[in-house]
Amino acid sequence: MRMPTSFTVVPVEDGGKSSRGHDSDENNVLREEDEEGPGDGNPKESSPFINNTDNDKGTLYDGKNMALFEEEMDSNPMVSSLLSNLANYTNLTQGVREHEEADEEEGAKKKAVTSPQMGTFIGVYLPCLQNILGVILFLRMTWIVGTAGILETFIIVAMCCTCTMLTAISMSAIATNGVVPAGGSYYMISRSLGPEFGGAVGLCFYLGTTFAGAMYILGTIEILLTYIVPNAAIFKAEDKEHEAEALLNNMRVYGTCCLALMSIVVFVGVKYVNKLALVFLACVVLSILAIYAGVIKTIFEPPDFPICLLGNRSLQNHNFDKCLKTEEIDNVTVTTQLWGLFCDGPSLNASCNDYFRDNEVTQVQGIPGLLSGVISENMWSAYGPSGMLVEKINFPSRPATNTSQDVYMPYVVNDIATFFTLLVGIYFPSVTGIMAGSNRSGDLRDAQKSIPIGTILAIATTTFIYLSCVVLFGACIDGTVLRDKFGDSVKGNLVIGTLSWPSPWVIVIGSFFSCCGAGLQSLTGAPRLLQAIARDGIVPFLEVFGHGKANGEPTWALLLTAAICETGILIASLDAVAPILSMFFLMCYLFVNLACALQTLLRTPNWRPRFKFYHWALSFLGMSLCLALMFISSWYYALVAMMIAGCIYKYIEYRGAEKEWGDGIRGLSLNAARYALMRLEEAPPHTKNWRPQVMVLLNVDSEMSVKHPRLLSFTTQLKAGKGLTIVGNVLEGTYLTKETEAKRAETNIKSAMSAEKTKGFCHVVVSSNLRDGFSYLIQSAGLGGMKHNTVLMAWPGTWKQSNDPQSWRNFIETIRETTAAHQALLVAKNVDSFPTNQDRLGEGTIDVWWIVHDGGMLMLLPFLLRQHKVWRKCKMRIFTVAQMDDNSIQMKKDLQTFLYHLRLDAEVEVVEMHDSDISAFTYEKTLVMEQRSQMLKQMQLSRTEREREIQSITDESRSSIRRKNQPGSSGSSTRRQSAQLEDNKADEAQLIHDRNTASHAAMNDKADAAPERVHMTWTKEKFFTERNRHRVEPNANMGVRDLFNMKPEWESLNQSNVRRMHTAVKLNEVVVNKSQGAHLVLLNMPGPPRNRGGDENYMEFLEVLLEGLNRVLLVRGGGREVITIYS
């Protein structure tokens, strides 16, 4: 547990001035408060400094030298404060020792933490040595040398050791690039490549460590049952062919018991495992020394381990004592025990096996010695299928005529089929364990110096041991003994034990305890790794494994580890389990190399390792070698391991907690994005590649919640996650005052985007007025060639009821802005009735009313919508309007041909609209519209007049002040000047306020033109009376009608407005008649008038055009073709 120290500076005033403090010291008192704070010793990710505590924020600042920066002290501490925190940093031990101390103290006050004192040799070199040398060396190395031959085994060892050496170089660079707390390789990968990669590789490393525990336990049981107490076997085979199955069953039973025992030991007290670590290490070192001593002894006096050959076949030397067919006792020839194994009876006339009868029995030395020249025989490989007899190369024999009975004879045979790639997978676990030093970084005096030196030295040492062992085994031991996996030909001795000095039992006991220790350490380390992953919170369903005993011991993680380990034990074969954990370790090493290569190539500013002897090419080579070894060992295991890692990656990406660890993948994404943007031309894309890159203009309410979330649903349905989506919003005000609201709005919009599954970016702008804000968004959103080309917004449904005319003015100005920017515009009317992403629209239609051609956007949108499952069942109908002079039949044929070339399936209908007289209804609509327009003009006019009155009053007051301030007595001049200044300031403040109040309206009014004919005059009193009466009446249209007591003649109306209203009415009748039941109606959007004086009339035209329709999407093209008939 960490003990953060917070310093509180308490200022004490001088004696005469101090009235409330109890301290009498003249100087400031520096009071140190020691508090026990929560934590596990890991620096918080959110903190840029190592020992930053929240208590520091309360530190009082007293001084004048740095007063300019005092308001920023909370966020930007003084350099002296930072250096002090760094100096007080203690890299506490993570893991077992800390938990055991917590147990022993039982709540007592902790002693002062002493700084870690482990050096390179004890802290890194020996742990790595112990973890690397292990079960494969003692149980399988001789067999691999005999099967693959010295040359190919040398290649296998060199490849695997090169892989780990390159990984160690990459790991050293990462480990020396800052502090590596608990978690070792998992921490390094996750903080370098991000939580997704970190979680995936961390879990793979966990599975590898767990299966390593299973492998060590299986090795322990194999040594126990095969070499120490063979009679302890529960399952015993009746005949030779069932021996392998009986051995596997014994491994399962004893392995399960051993796992249970080890789990209990780990659960009860891991400190005993740590105390025994030195014993286990001593066993490993003594065993290695015994092997080298035995090799040297063979030069002078080879050990006596004879093997018995029948012809050139090696025999299992269990059930006979003499390598003879017959022997003479008292001048009488009698048969031996060996005779009884191959013949029906002990008599000389008994029926015997053909091969036994035709070949002689020969006894040769199994360990001929270093100078015997046996190295030439062992140079080449001897692969073969399962059940193949182990034979001595270049030894005379007569071939057998009948081999059907060989399986029942006491020959030494291959228990599995052997080939090069299998041996790579079996051997690789013997070079794992290189992470042992980095996992102990908390115990080291100088981790950034010790980890690289210790790890690389340990790998160099073990590489020398392995390579020398390959040559020495091949030079000292006969090939038939090397290929004898279980030592059956040397009376059941461990093959590597026969070479050792002074006794084979040194190796047997040493390897037994070595495997026990390695198994215990795997069961200790794996749960803690799982606990570190669970506590990071990146994999939600693993969070339960982050809990444990009161002292932090990972109880639940230990249970899961034991369960997974049991699956490895049930496999029961060491040769089958080894390739599995090879995959997981290789994947882990691959990503360590990838992390180093990425950081180096990206030149991340934070990438400053103290270890300088690395290069991205070495890391890339290591990564390639890891990948190659994975597929060489077992391509199907490699695919399964990659699939598991991929599934975990996608799960963390989809469900995991969001973590920001400053990882390299984000840097890679940034570089890739920059490269792609540079490649993406600023010129518009080809018509074939055009797709709507949408800017969605959203509105928020006073609570900063999204007003129309269905607009986001529609965007999702239109985009289906492809291309660019920018969701924009404008807040009115200044950024300094609206910063909090802007961030809250951005958070709410992102939440709404997530809920509606809209993939894109959010952009909230604070502007002095909404109209300018939308203009900024349309102009500047996007980056380089990645800019939007389409604007989507909701129809302002309350524009008639709104007292603020800017609501609809902003809408019209946005239309003009998009047109000027050559961007398409989509306006959704009744957007709240649009379907959600969960809806599934049944049989229905999407109706396209193609009035004018402005780039083919109308054709493209229904096609894109129908790709989404919401609209998939809808059919597309295209309507076009034929005038009096058009041939509607030919138009229909041409349109069908056009659609055929566009590869679009749609029904085509041509609607004829003949010229007709303008109806009274149209005149009435136009009349009401112009009257409403006139009323709005008068409202604006009254505001302008009010501003002019204020201006004239201000001017008069200023002139009167000037007259008063003519030169007078010198005594009162100062007072007059000060009064004048105050009056001027007051007048200017009032003037500025009044100007700002009406400035935006005045700007817009300058562009407004007067109506062609105005038949009414207004007074201010009449206007307010009528407006108040209008507010209380329920029917707005009737209110406007009553407001104008006199009805003007229709001839006095603006004829241009009448014609436009006529078009809107007639077109609306046709559209409602044909498409009232459609799921969606797409319609060309008429452009706003060039004369801004008719803006309010334009809104009326659109309202009439859309009347009676439910879901409408008004479409306005961007002035370029977006769909083509060419491939």
Side-chain angles (χ1 to χ4, degrees), residues 221-483:
I221 303 304
E222 185 176 311
I223 294 168
L224 182 72
L225 294 181
T226 310
Y227 307 112
I228 299 178
V229 279
N231 296 327
I234 298 172
F235 301 92
K236 296 184 179 177
E238 296 288 331
D239 47 22
K240 182 173 175 288
E241 59 182 326
H242 294 109
E243 282 180 359
E245 189 178 342
L247 176 64
L248 293 180
N249 287 330
N250 285 318
M251 300 278 275
R252 291 183 180 107
V253 173
Y254 278 97
T256 303
C257 296
C258 183
L259 172 64
L261 187 64
M262 286 185 174
S263 300
I264 290 169
V265 169
V266 171
F267 178 76
V268 170
V270 187
K271 62 181 176 182
Y272 302 114
V273 179
N274 279 0
K275 287 175 182 175
L276 288 171
L278 195 60
V279 177
F280 299 142
L281 177 62
C283 290
V284 174
V285 174
L286 286 174
S287 300
I288 300 292
L289 293 176
I291 293 169
Y292 281 109
V295 168
I296 295 169
K297 185 175 179 293
T298 62
I299 299 173
F300 313 107
E301 184 186 348
D304 184 26
F305 281 99
I307 59 172
C308 191
L309 299 176
L310 176 62
N312 65 350
R313 297 179 181 180
S314 178
L315 298 176
Q316 293 183 353
N317 195 350
H318 289 305
N319 300 321
F320 60 92
D321 52 354
K322 294 179 181 178
C323 187
L324 296 169
K325 290 184 180 181
T326 59
E327 61 179 340
E328 288 190 7
I329 300 175
D330 298 331
N331 294 324
V332 178
T333 302
V334 295
T335 57
T336 60
Q337 291 175 322
L338 182 61
W339 182 280
L341 296 174
F342 286 90
C343 300
D344 292 342
S347 66
L348 292 171
N349 297 325
S351 175
C352 294
N353 179 270
D354 293 344
Y355 189 82
F356 180 76
R357 187 182 64 245
D358 296 341
N359 288 278
E360 293 300 321
V361 176
T362 312
Q363 182 170 298
V364 298
Q365 277 298 327
I367 315 290
L370 192 64
L371 304 178
S372 64
V374 75
I375 188 170
S376 59
E377 293 179 13
N378 296 329
M379 196 64 71
W380 313 109
S381 62
Y383 302 119
S386 176
M388 187 185 82
L389 302 177
V390 174
E391 299 174 338
K392 186 169 175 62
I393 301 168
N394 300 326
F395 204 76
S397 70
R398 292 181 181 177
T401 55
N402 182 14
T403 59
S404 60
Q405 296 299 311
D406 288 349
V407 68
Y408 303 108
M409 298 297 119
Y411 296 125
V412 179
V413 297
N414 281 357
D415 64 330
I416 58 171
T418 54
F419 39 89
F420 179 80
T421 57
L422 172 78
L423 298 186
V424 173
I426 291 174
Y427 172 75
F428 188 80
S430 66
V431 295
T432 60
I434 62 173
M435 300 288 186
S438 66
N439 289 346
R440 290 167 171 257
S441 61
D443 299 323
L444 302 173
R445 189 184 306 117
D446 185 359
Q448 297 192 351
K449 177 184 175 185
S450 298
I451 288 175
I453 296 173
T455 306
I456 291 172
L457 277 180
I459 292 173
T461 306
T462 53
T463 302
F464 171 77
I465 291 171
Y466 283 134
L467 291 174
S468 61
C469 280
V470 169
V471 176
L472 294 175
F473 291 164
C476 294
I477 306 174
D478 190 82
T480 51
V481 179
L482 285 174
R483 291 191 292 279

Side-chain angles (χ1 to χ4, degrees), residues 48-49 52 56 72-82 85:
F49 309 116
N52 188 28
D56 290 340
E72 300 176 7
M73 285 295 171
D74 287 343
S75 57
N76 302 330
M78 296 273 294
V79 174
S80 57
S81 166
L82 171 62
N85 282 338

Side-chain angles (χ1 to χ4, degrees), residues 1005-1075:
D1005 287 339
K1006 288 176 185 176
D1008 293 345
E1012 294 183 8
R1013 298 173 181 83
V1014 178
H1015 295 277
M1016 302 202 173
T1017 55
W1018 290 79
T1019 63
K1020 194 180 296 183
E1021 292 76 19
K1022 182 178 179 183
F1023 167 71
F1024 283 111
T1025 304
E1026 295 297 339
R1027 188 180 68 174
N1028 292 334
R1029 186 162 64 86
H1030 167 60
R1031 281 179 177 174
V1032 299
E1033 292 190 15
N1035 191 319
N1037 285 338
M1038 289 304 296
V1040 175
R1041 291 283 304 276
D1042 292 340
L1043 184 62
F1044 298 93
N1045 296 319
M1046 182 183 72
K1047 180 178 178 182
E1049 295 297 328
W1050 288 344
E1051 289 80 4
S1052 64
L1053 293 172
N1054 185 329
Q1055 293 304 308
S1056 174
N1057 287 343
V1058 173
R1059 288 195 304 274
R1060 289 194 176 108
M1061 183 63 76
H1062 175 67
T1063 305
V1065 170
K1066 294 296 291 181
L1067 193 54
N1068 175 258
E1069 288 176 2
V1070 175
V1071 174
V1072 169
N1073 182 38
K1074 296 285 186 181
S1075 301

